[in-house]
Amino acid sequence: MLVNVNFPAVDPDAVTGIAVVPHGLRKIGDVLEERLDPRGRTYFWIGTSRTEEAVQGTDTDVSAIAEGRITVTPLHLDLNHAAAIQSLRGAFAK
């Protein structure tokens, strides 16, 4: 498990609390810029323009940060699909 902690961009006295919340979704932006890396290879940079209407969901890290709260979000990453492993083991056990 990883713990992600985010702090709102406000003065410490303006923080409204701490929220333990799930990870939310936020649209990064629509601006795509074609750039060159130091070796002259082309890559695309996704712009970081954000708007308040891009915030999705309530009671998530995104909404809590917008409300001035510090967020604590436990994250778990498992690339294995346990149910499919068991199902496929049964299918190929013959």
Side-chain angles (χ1 to χ4, degrees), residues 2 4 7 13 19 30 38 55-56 58 69-71 79 86 94:
L2 302 170
N4 182 48
F7 295 85
D13 292 338
D30 292 330
V55 175
Q56 297 180 8
T58 58
R69 294 184 284 166
I70 295 170
T71 62
L79 297 177
Q86 292 305 316
K94 300 174 184 172

Side-chain angles (χ1 to χ4, degrees), residues 29-90:
D30 292 330
V31 179
L32 295 176
E33 295 179 23
E34 186 174 340
R35 297 183 178 183
L36 292 176
D37 71 12
R39 294 186 175 134
R41 295 180 294 194
T42 302
Y43 70 95
F44 291 90
W45 181 263
I46 301 173
T48 57
S49 60
R50 295 179 176 167
T51 63
E52 290 305 315
E53 64 195 38
V55 175
Q56 297 180 8
T58 58
D59 200 29
T60 66
D61 59 346
V62 177
S63 61
I65 285 288
E67 296 166 358
R69 294 184 284 166
I70 295 170
T71 62
V72 178
T73 303
L75 302 172
H76 180 260
L77 178 63
D78 185 352
L79 297 177
N80 297 300
H81 192 276
I85 289 173
Q86 292 305 316
S87 176
L88 289 170
R89 281 183 180 156

